[in-house]
């Protein structure tokens, strides 16, 4: 098959949601359709359960699972589908943000009763930064929930996206009769929670009210009224606008009862974008370029503390990746040959010989890769768009075992390369600050330093509100700011200036008093 055909048949996407909205359940149902798994329950929930006895145990358990479920590929109707898994726990949000850089589109799962929740808002805002096309699945229709119009209003307002419903529910919860797909005029009848039979949808137009009423029962009139309103209020769906992230199609269903999932998958495959172009510091890379290029968006440390090898996840951006061929590791300026690249089919990991744009390959690594590294056939490219986010929690890190300072330094260095947290060096006192977006990261770091690096650390509190990168073309003002704020300046691992704002007020005042300065909350600049 030609390269462009391979590209055209690939769909690489992430499913995102607030914990408990049904991401794992939906993923599993999609995999069942693809034949990638054969029994329900095969995809373990990649989240830290509420009330878990020990967070460490959960972290370890999750790390084990998340290698297996990092990328799940399957074939469906001639298409190659790659689902990128994202951690469910909000303390790992940064990992999710980076994973989104490897996705060409996303499906957002929303719980019909809970509506738009905090984590959904945060994740969608990251998608919007990159104009990733978004499809919405409103889940758990077998339960009572919010009124669909109210819910769509909430989605438009809180997520700042325009929606176009492509299906509409008839009833909800105990009164759920079915879902009508607006785009192909088919009525998918809900056969009930105890009968999980996927029956063929009925072809019905709403013009035939009586025929409709035979299936929809007494709900028919209110449904027809609602449908009319939907067509009046919302714009018609337009694939082009969706691919430009200007409009999001909405589907309704119940992942648990496999209701509306097949429609979602098939429509998704029809409209979702194939792998597109990627930006580098010097030029745009088209997927159809014959030379292979790719970047590392995630590094996963091995579970076995005796073998400190890791897996670097590479998103293929152009050309064909081949096993055993020499590729340039651009940052190190060295050639590497990968003899055991792996791909992931649900739980199974297998060595692959080739991969195409949109695919994700796992490369065993002994410490050569950091997040954002580029591989190529020789061209010195650097892919952009893999951001770090300004940390929101801060602690000083100290060595708790003076005999192990080398181990500690190495451990901290490697964990930062994996993107677990960010290391900032306080310019005032030279102390090391670990900045994170979630409190759990501190436990992860301490635990992993002990188990994987035989080092021990201690944290000390540091009172800070937020950190942000600063830059300016006005050197005098920049120098003046740094002089005045010398107690609050730090450097990140690339030596860039970071302002450690002590309070919301201090940040606000700084922004006001130094108009020539840019205060940046993501590292992409
Ligand atoms: P997450 O990955 O987004 O965190 O959510 P997950 O799929 O784990 O689903 C969270 C809970 O919601 C699970 O119940 C799951 O069974 C339930 N759920 C998912 N989709 C639906 C749906 O369409 N309808 C209904 N009624 N429930 C749904 P749990 O009791 O927390 O876990 P479990 O013991 O069933 O695994």
């Amino acid at each position: 098959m030609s390269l462009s055909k391979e590209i055209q048949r690939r769909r690489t996407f992430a499913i995102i949601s607030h914990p408990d909205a049904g991401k794992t359940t939906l993923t599993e149902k999609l995999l069942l359709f693809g034949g990638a798994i054969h029994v329900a329950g095969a995809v373990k929930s990649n989240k830290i359960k509420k009330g878990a006895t020990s967070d460490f145990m959960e972290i370890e358990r999750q790390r084990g699972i998340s290698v297996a479920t990092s990328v799940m590929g399957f074939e469906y109707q001639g298409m190659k589908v790659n689902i990128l898994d994202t951690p469910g726990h909000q303390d790992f949000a940064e990992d999710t943000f980076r994973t989104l850089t490897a996705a060409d589109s996303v499906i957002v799962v929303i719980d019909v009763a809970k509506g738009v929740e905090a984590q959904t808002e945060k994740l969608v805002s990251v998608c919007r930064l990159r104009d990733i096309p978004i499809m919405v699945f409103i889940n758990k229709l077998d339960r009572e929930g919010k009124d669909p119009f109210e819910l769509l209003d909430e989605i438009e307002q809180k997520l700042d996206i325009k929606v176009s419903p492509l299906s509409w529910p008839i009833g909800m919860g105990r009164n759920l009769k079915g879902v009508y797909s607006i785009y192909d005029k088919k009525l998918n009848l809900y056969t009930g929670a105890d009968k999980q039979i996927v029956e063929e949808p009925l072809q019905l137009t709403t013009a035939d009210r009586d025929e409709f009423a035979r299936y929809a029962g007494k709900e028919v009139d209110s449904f027809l009224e609602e449908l009319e309103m939907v067509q009046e209020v919302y714009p018609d769906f337009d694939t082009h606008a969706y691919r430009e992230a200007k409009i999001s199609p909405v589907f309704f269903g119940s992942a648990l009862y496999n209701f509306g999932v097949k429609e979602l998958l098939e429509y998704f495959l029809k409209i979702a974008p194939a792998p597109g172009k990627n930006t580098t510091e010097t030029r745009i890379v088209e997927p159809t370029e014959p030379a292979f290029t790719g970047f590392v968006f995630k590094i996963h440390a091995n579970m076995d503390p005796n073998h400190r090898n890791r897996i670097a996840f590479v998103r293929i951006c152009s050309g064909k990746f081949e096993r055993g061929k020499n590729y340039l590791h651009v940052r190190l300026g060295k050639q590497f040959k990968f003899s055991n690249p792996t791909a992931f089919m649900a739980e199974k990991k297998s060595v692959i010989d080739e991969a195409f744009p949109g695919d994700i390959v796992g490369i065993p690594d002994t410490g050569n890769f950091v997040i954002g590294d580029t591989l190529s056939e020789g061209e010195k490219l650097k892919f952009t768009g893999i951001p770090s986010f300004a940390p929101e929690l801060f602690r000083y890190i100290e060595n708790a075992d003076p005999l192990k300072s080398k181990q500690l330094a190495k451990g901290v260095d490697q964990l930062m390369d994996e993107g677990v947290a960010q290391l900032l060096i306080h310019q005032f006192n030279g102390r090391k600050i670990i900045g994170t977006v979630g409190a759990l990261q501190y436990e992860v770091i301490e635990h992993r330093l002990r188990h994987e690096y035989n080092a021990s650390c201690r944290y000390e509190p540091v009172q800070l509100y937020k950190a942000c990168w600063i830059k300016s073309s006005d050197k005098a003002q920049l120098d003046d700011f740094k002089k005045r704020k010398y107690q609050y300046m730090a450097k990140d691992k690339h030596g860039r200036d970071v302002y450690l704002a002590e309070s919301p007020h201090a940040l606000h005042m700084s922004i006001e008093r130094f108009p020539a300065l840019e205060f940046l909350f993501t590292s992409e600049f």
Side-chain angles (χ1 to χ4, degrees), residues 15-27 29 44-47 49-50 85-86 88 109 111 137-143 190 253-259:
I15 302 180
I16 55 176
S17 76
H18 191 87
D20 277 344
K23 178 169 71 75
T24 312
T25 313
L26 179 65
T27 306
K29 294 291 151 51
K44 300 289 178 303
S45 174
N46 170 6
K47 66 181 170 185
K49 290 264 184 226
K50 292 184 280 293
D85 193 25
T86 53
V109 183
D111 182 325
F137 183 68
I138 296 179
N139 190 29
K140 306 198 185 181
L141 231 57
D142 54 295
R143 290 193 185 161
Y190 181 61
S254 161
L256 187 62
Y257 297 115
N258 208 351
F259 181 66

Side-chain angles (χ1 to χ4, degrees), residues 32 45 119 133 187 374 424 440 446 448 460 482 487 503:
L32 279 166
S45 174
Q119 190 67 359
L187 176 63
T374 300
L424 303 171
L440 213 50
E446 194 185 351
R448 292 190 54 193
E460 284 178 18
K482 281 164 52 176
Q487 281 178 302
S503 68

Side-chain angles (χ1 to χ4, degrees), residues 148-160:
F149 284 108
E150 206 182 293
L151 205 52
L152 295 186
D153 270 358
E154 191 181 326
I155 293 172
E156 290 207 318
Q157 275 165 24
K158 287 198 181 159
L159 301 182
D160 191 23

Side-chain angles (χ1 to χ4, degrees), residues 414-435:
Q414 290 205 349
L415 293 180
M416 299 306 123
D417 286 350
E418 265 181 46
V420 177
Q422 290 177 56
L423 183 69
L424 303 171
I425 309 287
H426 205 311
Q427 296 302 282
F428 180 58
N429 55 22
R431 293 178 75 181
K432 288 177 175 169
I433 296 174
I434 301 279

Side-chain angles (χ1 to χ4, degrees), residues 508-524:
H508 181 75
M509 293 305 285
S510 301
I511 293 172
E512 211 162 74
R513 287 196 191 146
F514 294 86
L517 257 59
E518 281 182 73
F519 296 81
L520 302 138
F521 295 91
T522 76
S523 66
E524 269 297 306

